[in-house]
């Protein structure tokens, strides 16, 4: 989770960010914020205020991760397990489709 929070801070580069997490992940996220802010400031040279939302949580259909957004809400980064899996599937699917064409071509050419 530490890496996910830092990734969000580096991607947004905003002075104020809001983090939403699952209710059961809230204590972990809160305990990591200070460490992440120190690392972020040391690496980027920027100050940032992180607000962890303690009233609006990610839904029960989320398996983990966070949503991090700019303080004004204009920039939002979803970094949940589901979002990451969707991104991987979108990137890998064309490779599998090409591989299936090759296997199909090889199978039918050797069958004759």
């Amino acid at each position: 989770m530490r890496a996910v929070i830092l990734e969000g801070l580096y991607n947004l580069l905003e002075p104020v960010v809001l983090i939403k997490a699952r209710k059961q992940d809230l204590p972990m996220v809160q305990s990591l914020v200070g460490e992440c802010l120190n690392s972020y400031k040391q690496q980027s040279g920027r100050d940032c205020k992180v607000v962890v939302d303690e009233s609006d949580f990610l839904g029960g259909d989320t398996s983990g991760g966070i949503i991090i957004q700019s303080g004004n809400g204009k920039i939002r980064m979803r970094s949940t397990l589901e979002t990451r899996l969707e991104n991987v599937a979108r990137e890998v699917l064309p490779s599998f489709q090409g591989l299936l064409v090759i296997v199909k071509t090889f199978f039918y050419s050797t069958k004759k």
Side-chain angles (χ1 to χ4, degrees), residues 66-111:
I66 61 170
I67 294 177
I68 186 167
Q69 65 185 33
S70 61
N72 60 13
K74 291 185 177 182
I75 306 169
R76 175 181 267 188
M77 184 181 131
R78 291 183 58 88
S79 192
T80 62
L81 179 61
E82 291 77 15
T83 304
R84 288 177 176 265
L85 290 174
E86 289 169 7
N87 290 341
V88 168
R90 194 173 26 258
E91 291 173 11
V92 173
L93 187 60
S95 299
F96 280 119
Q97 289 172 333
L99 181 61
L100 288 174
V101 169
I102 293 169
V103 169
K104 183 179 176 183
T105 304
F106 176 76
F107 176 75
Y108 285 118
S109 68
T110 59
K111 195 173 181 182

Side-chain angles (χ1 to χ4, degrees), residues 7-110:
E7 179 185 24
L9 293 174
Y10 290 125
N11 281 327
L12 294 181
L13 295 173
E14 290 287 318
V16 178
V17 299
L18 174 70
I19 295 178
K20 291 184 182 185
R22 296 183 312 163
K23 189 172 188 174
Q24 60 265 42
D25 293 339
L26 188 63
M28 176 178 46
V29 170
Q30 289 172 324
S31 70
L32 291 172
V33 165
E35 177 185 337
C36 291
L37 280 174
N38 289 338
S39 180
Y40 174 76
K41 184 172 182 171
Q42 186 178 23
Q43 295 294 321
S44 70
R46 295 172 174 252
D47 285 319
C48 181
K49 177 183 178 188
V50 174
V51 177
V52 179
D53 195 330
E54 297 179 359
S55 60
D56 186 21
F57 303 105
L58 295 182
D61 59 338
T62 304
S63 298
I66 61 170
I67 294 177
I68 186 167
Q69 65 185 33
S70 61
N72 60 13
K74 291 185 177 182
I75 306 169
R76 175 181 267 188
M77 184 181 131
R78 291 183 58 88
S79 192
T80 62
L81 179 61
E82 291 77 15
T83 304
R84 288 177 176 265
L85 290 174
E86 289 169 7
N87 290 341
V88 168
R90 194 173 26 258
E91 291 173 11
V92 173
L93 187 60
S95 299
F96 280 119
Q97 289 172 333
L99 181 61
L100 288 174
V101 169
I102 293 169
V103 169
K104 183 179 176 183
T105 304
F106 176 76
F107 176 75
Y108 285 118
S109 68
T110 59

